[in-house]
Amino acid sequence: MTINNKYKLPNLLNCKICIIGLGYVGLPLAIEFSKIKKCLRTGKILKRTIFGFDLNKKRVKELISGEDHTKEIDEIDKKELKSINFFSEENANIEADVFIISVPTPIDENNNPDLSSLKSATKSVANFIRKREKDTLPVLIIESTVYPGTTENICVPILEEITGYKLNMEFVCGYSPERINPGDKTHRLPSIVKVTSGSNKETANWINDLYSSIIKAGTYKAKSIKVAEAAKVIENTQRDLNIALVNEIAKICKLINIDTLDVLDTAGSKWNFLPFRPGLVGGHCISVDPYYLTYIAQRNGYDTDIVLAGRNLNDGMSEWIIEQLILEAKFKNIDFQNARILLLGLTFKENCPDIRNSKILDVIKHLNKRDQIPYIFDPFMIEKKKLSGINFRYLTKSPLDQNDKYDVIIISTAHDEFKNIDSKNWRRILEENHIIYDLKGIIPRDLKPLRI
Ligand SMILES: NC(=O)c1ccc[n+]([C@@H]2O[C@H](COP(=O)([O-])OP(=O)(O)OC[C@H]3O[C@@H](n4cnc5c(N)ncnc54)[C@H](O)[C@@H]3O)[C@@H](O)[C@H]2O)c1
């Protein structure tokens, strides 16, 4: 389908871009659009205006003051915050041409997709578009993770209903999934190939050109919006299943009394053995996206065989970890009930302050069920968050800066700060008869850690 000739796509060099949802995904994107002044593809000068919209007033205030609690942008890029026009009012008059949505897409208590933020953000876009001078075709791009079909079957009808405009006549749309890995300083937005797609050929090319103007690694134009949506969820589903496999291998290794990581390192000497590691699978991507895939499969009459099996296995790891700990305590004659237990790391990912869906919270729940209230230290959690349903004692200072000793230390997140502790310092905070449970494989082997 080609575009209605009456309106043209916006000028790529000086278009006005509004990012909706300024979290781990939206903020780095807004910064990148703002800071790249010369098109990476053509070398032409870019004179774009960047808007940033977030319903969360506190977040907008923080960004206006030049701060970012997600720590996803470095000190140099922080200066760029001043060039972005932030706002949080849904009824604002925004004269943007391009609207990019990057709001959360979690699951509900029944593991079904919760698209409420995406729908509400689309309504905001519809209202912005409705008020705008109609000189060019407005472009809607979804970056949030969704199941295949969401952009065209959920977002487009909302936009059409509120504005009265028709897709590919008075507005166009596309989907470009985000693939960043928060806390990872190597794989950043500009260095990851960006998948793009559009509601017709011209739009797909336009959106591809838009992203290739700022992404050093380049772009990959998907065959359709649905293909791009599906690609995103299967990337994370594949990771989830691969981790489930090594988690199962870990259980078997434990039964036959060999170290799982030694086995994986040995198998990894073969060129085509994939380097997955066992562990807890938390966060809002790998532990959530497979449910988006199973949802659309079920809606089409297919119950997945292995995707949910992998999910269940990974979700059961926190309980298995505690069972292993109790077995080790018995073996070492440690009174588990009265043991002082310290958990190092609460965030779901290393060097990142994100705590959403952290499975370490499940580990704490299992300890609480056994009347244990563990101590917690996490350098990335600046203040004790109000976490409901779990009981723990929160350390505001590193245990290394205190004089207490622990019977059990569980290394649950591989923050660099923990990786850098040497054997001597670990011994300083451990009782003579102790367990050091290294869920991340980062502790010196001379300490004889219990490993997953
Ligand atoms: N964080 C990641 O590692 C990552 C990686 C790839 C893809 N994703 C996907 O990207 C999307 C965003 O994730 P995130 O981690 O950036 O989320 P986030 O929670 O860090 O940020 C989302 C922001 O959107 C705002 N918001 C919510 N509803 C809104 C609305 N209706 N209008 C305006 N703003 C609204 C929130 O206040 C928040 O600031 C999700 O679909 C996620 O699955 C995330």
Side-chain angles (χ1 to χ4, degrees):
M1 191 191 291
T2 51
I3 298 175
N4 173 15
N5 282 337
K6 207 164 137 200
Y7 303 112
K8 297 226 168 315
L9 280 159
N11 184 329
L12 268 169
L13 303 179
N14 61 15
C15 57
K16 295 173 181 153
I17 303 170
C18 179
I19 315 288
I20 295 113
L22 301 167
Y24 285 87
V25 167
L27 182 65
L29 186 68
I31 294 281
E32 214 57 30
F33 271 122
S34 172
K35 84 174 191 203
I36 304 285
K37 309 286 186 215
K38 222 176 182 190
C39 174
L40 298 182
R41 197 172 51 86
T42 62
K44 288 187 180 159
I45 302 295
L46 300 174
K47 285 190 176 155
R48 294 171 178 162
T49 307
I50 311 302
F51 297 94
F53 169 64
D54 199 300
L55 274 185
N56 183 342
K57 290 191 172 23
K58 211 171 137 200
R59 174 67 168 157
V60 168
K61 220 170 150 188
E62 173 189 61
L63 297 174
I64 290 173
S65 77
E67 287 307 318
D68 167 38
H69 75 273
T70 67
K71 301 196 186 313
E72 280 304 295
I73 52 173
D74 59 29
E75 287 307 314
I76 299 170
D77 284 355
K78 265 190 188 171
K79 293 192 187 101
E80 210 55 54
L81 290 170
K82 298 272 171 260
S83 326
I84 302 171
N85 306 286
F86 293 111
F87 68 104
S88 57
E89 300 77 28
E90 275 179 286
N91 56 0
N93 269 335
I94 293 304
E95 284 293 321
D97 311 297
V98 187
F99 299 86
I100 305 181
I101 299 185
S102 51
V103 298
T105 44
I107 42 173
D108 65 16
E109 58 285 1
N110 300 316
N111 294 332
N112 286 321
D114 172 0
L115 298 180
S116 51
S117 294
L118 181 65
K119 288 179 185 170
S120 116
T122 309
K123 283 181 192 159
S124 299
V125 171
N127 286 322
F128 297 148
I129 287 180
R130 205 164 49 153
K131 290 186 197 159
R132 139 193 203 280
E133 286 288 323
K134 203 162 38 158
D135 49 350
T136 56
L137 280 166
V139 183
L140 167 71
I141 304 172
I142 309 295
E143 285 227 3
S144 299
T145 304
V146 294
Y147 58 79
T150 308
T151 303
E152 286 151 307
N153 302 335
I154 306 277
C155 301
V156 166
I158 292 175
L159 213 109
E160 287 185 334
E161 196 191 322
I162 296 177
T163 58
Y165 298 170
K166 283 274 157 270
L167 178 66
N168 291 327
M169 297 295 284
E170 285 137 320
F171 76 97
V172 291
C173 75
Y175 181 77
S176 178
E178 187 43 74
R179 294 164 144 175
I180 52 150
N181 185 24
D184 183 337
K185 301 293 173 214
T186 314
H187 301 101
R188 317 288 295 168
L189 174 66
S191 61
I192 307 169
V193 172
K194 193 93 170 83
V195 168
T196 65
S197 63
S199 53
N200 57 44
K201 203 171 156 202
E202 285 161 83
T203 305
N205 288 339
W206 191 92
I207 291 176
N208 197 56
D209 288 348
L210 176 75
Y211 282 104
S212 59
S213 70
I214 62 157
I215 305 287
K216 272 198 199 94
T219 53
Y220 182 98
K221 195 166 49 168
K223 293 276 183 280
S224 69
I225 289 179
K226 232 171 161 179
V227 165
E229 291 169 327
K232 171 66 194 178
V233 278
I234 69 148
E235 281 168 24
N236 282 341
T237 303
Q238 189 189 58
R239 274 191 74 73
D240 193 40
L241 272 171
N242 276 311
I243 299 169
L245 176 63
V246 286
N247 275 338
E248 188 144 70
I249 289 167
K251 290 182 175 182
I252 298 167
C253 286
K254 197 60 83 181
L255 291 171
I256 56 177
N257 214 12
I258 42 176
D259 186 273
T260 314
L261 300 185
D262 285 345
V263 174
L264 293 174
D265 286 344
T266 308
S269 62
K270 191 181 176 201
W271 79 93
N272 59 1
F273 188 82
L274 302 175
F276 285 94
R277 285 285 185 260
L280 298 166
V281 184
H284 39 89
C285 288
I286 301 179
S287 67
V288 167
D289 299 355
Y291 290 118
Y292 275 64
L293 189 62
T294 56
Y295 172 81
I296 195 67
Q298 270 163 7
R299 286 251 319 253
N300 285 279
Y302 177 68
D303 285 324
T304 54
D305 287 324
I306 58 169
V307 178
L308 282 182
R311 271 291 60 243
N312 290 338
L313 197 131
N314 284 343
D315 270 350
M317 284 307 282
S318 45
E319 183 154 26
W320 181 80
I321 280 166
I322 295 302
E323 284 164 7
Q324 297 308 305
L325 182 60
I326 291 171
L327 281 177
E328 183 78 356
K330 267 193 197 139
F331 177 71
K332 286 196 159 174
N333 250 331
I334 291 173
D335 174 6
F336 189 76
Q337 207 66 50
N338 295 307
R340 280 167 62 86
I341 301 180
L342 169 66
L343 267 125
L344 291 178
L346 200 52
T347 65
F348 86 89
K349 184 174 270 183
E350 56 275 13
N351 304 321
C352 165
D354 199 348
I355 202 155
R356 288 172 294 175
N357 287 349
S358 170
K359 293 296 164 197
I360 298 146
L361 304 178
D362 285 352
V363 169
I364 300 172
K365 273 185 204 153
H366 289 300
L367 286 171
N368 290 165
K369 267 194 224 156
R370 289 160 174 91
D371 295 328
Q372 259 292 351
I373 303 176
Y375 293 82
I376 307 285
F377 175 66
D378 191 318
F380 278 82
M381 255 182 79
I382 311 302
E383 58 192 273
K384 182 178 175 176
K385 297 257 158 58
K386 285 191 185 91
L387 296 165
S388 57
I390 59 166
N391 225 338
F392 60 90
R393 302 173 173 104
Y394 186 67
L395 302 182
T396 50
K397 274 198 304 191
S398 165
L400 289 177
D401 297 332
Q402 304 178 29
N403 291 323
D404 294 323
K405 285 181 184 281
Y406 299 89
D407 303 291
V408 176
I409 295 183
I410 305 174
I411 290 92
S412 34
T413 313
H415 292 318
D416 287 347
E417 180 167 333
F418 304 149
K419 280 187 188 162
N420 295 334
I421 303 175
D422 61 16
S423 301
K424 194 170 144 234
N425 273 309
W426 281 119
R427 285 199 184 92
R428 213 156 53 72
I429 55 171
L430 283 161
E431 291 290 355
E432 187 71 28
N433 187 21
H434 64 256
I435 300 169
I436 181 157
Y437 198 172
D438 183 8
L439 302 183
K440 293 301 196 178
I442 62 169
I443 296 297
R445 292 293 282 274
D446 62 291
L447 288 171
K448 298 195 172 43
L450 173 64
R451 307 215 297 175
I452 206 164

